[in-house]
Amino acid sequence: PQIVFDEHGQPVDTVRRPRNEAHRIIEDLMIAANEAVARHFEEKEAPCMYRVHERPDSEKLANFVKLCESLGVSARVSNDPSPAEVSKLLLDVSEHPNGRALHTLLLRSLAQARYAGENLGHFGLASSAYLHFTSPIRRYPDLIVHRLLKQMIDGAQPWYSESRLDEMAGTCSDAERKAMGAERASLELDRALVAREHLGEKLPATITGIQGFGLFAAVVEPFIEGMIPVQTLPSDYYQPDAFGSRLVGANTGRTFALGEPVEVEIVNVDIAKRQVQLGLVDDARPSRSKRPPSRSNQPR
């Protein structure tokens, strides 16, 4: 999500962040630079702080494949998948109507990247050596790599041993997760403030999550997410299926599946908890949105 602010710094809209060919080219160049520096440290057998991403948990990946099959999506990976297999799986599910929801679930089934004083490779990038080096230097691990590279060029002894780097890497990984949590909380707050301005509106959405207590859905415009409590669904007793891909009514057999388009109403917004409650509009006819035009088209 990308938040759009007005001239007073207040959030007025939330949209999908654009990603075009220029973004992809820049990402490729950044990855190439990071790999080149990592290989340089490997060749010199010098201590460094790497960005590592271990192999995915085979059980979690197998469960994801079963979930895909339950939705009619062809998904195949070996017991010991290669990065190429996982990349192809990502591509396959992305092209499916339920692709956005499945793409997110697949990424959640993979291991979380972290920092380490030992080069363990980066599975997600299919890279044998990777680190964070590229500017702007916005992370402490970037600064450490720049320091060590400068010392290597100057022929000086490295400041940090591998054990010290590994200790620092653990601290940096923990700090990164806390920062990501704070960033997510801030984003959820801004999206909740935007949602509050659309209370009572009926809007198109897509089911992105299935739980026993309800459905998670992403509204198309404004780009917000919320939950539909199970007790507000059409009268029945609902339970998730074995794969967490559907919520099924015990009496009527009515199902709500991942990736299914629905129409929702923004029922309630709790700013303090940063939560948006949605209600299902149980009507096949699309409703016209009451959403006024955005006051600003440019993010601040």
Side-chain angles (χ1 to χ4, degrees), residues 122-155:
H122 197 295
F123 182 89
L125 295 174
S127 178
S128 60
Y130 191 74
L131 47 68
H132 279 163
F133 161 78
T134 49
S135 59
I137 302 174
R138 54 192 171 86
R139 297 159 293 217
Y140 191 60
D142 301 49
L143 182 60
I144 290 174
V145 170
H146 276 255
R147 284 174 177 168
L148 290 171
L149 186 61
K150 185 177 184 298
Q151 291 162 17
M152 183 187 297
I153 292 171
D154 291 343

Side-chain angles (χ1 to χ4, degrees), residues 26 100 110 123 126 130 154 157 160 178 214-215 221 235:
I26 291 169
R100 190 174 294 277
L110 301 179
F123 182 89
Y130 191 74
D154 291 343
Q157 288 295 315
Y160 312 110
K178 290 177 183 176
L215 306 169
E221 188 182 358
S235 184

Side-chain angles (χ1 to χ4, degrees), residues 102-222:
L102 290 173
H103 189 277
T104 301
L105 290 173
L106 175 55
L107 292 180
R108 288 175 182 170
S109 73
L110 301 179
Q112 190 171 12
R114 62 184 179 87
Y115 295 103
E118 178 186 4
N119 179 24
L120 302 173
H122 197 295
F123 182 89
L125 295 174
S127 178
S128 60
Y130 191 74
L131 47 68
H132 279 163
F133 161 78
T134 49
S135 59
I137 302 174
R138 54 192 171 86
R139 297 159 293 217
Y140 191 60
D142 301 49
L143 182 60
I144 290 174
V145 170
H146 276 255
R147 284 174 177 168
L148 290 171
L149 186 61
K150 185 177 184 298
Q151 291 162 17
M152 183 187 297
I153 292 171
D154 291 343
Q157 288 295 315
W159 288 359
Y160 312 110
S161 64
E162 184 176 312
S163 59
R164 175 59 179 149
L165 282 168
D166 209 42
E167 180 185 348
M168 293 165 65
T171 302
C172 288
S173 297
D174 291 341
E176 178 188 42
R177 293 187 183 100
K178 290 177 183 176
M180 289 172 65
E183 182 183 20
R184 187 163 50 246
S186 174
L187 191 63
E188 289 170 354
L189 175 61
D190 286 335
R191 295 175 90 186
L193 290 168
V194 171
R196 186 173 60 179
E197 300 303 311
H198 299 272
L199 281 169
E201 293 184 20
K202 297 178 176 62
L203 302 160
T206 302
I207 296 175
T208 56
I210 305 287
Q211 294 290 339
F213 52 80
L215 306 169
F216 289 94
V219 175
V220 177
E221 188 182 358

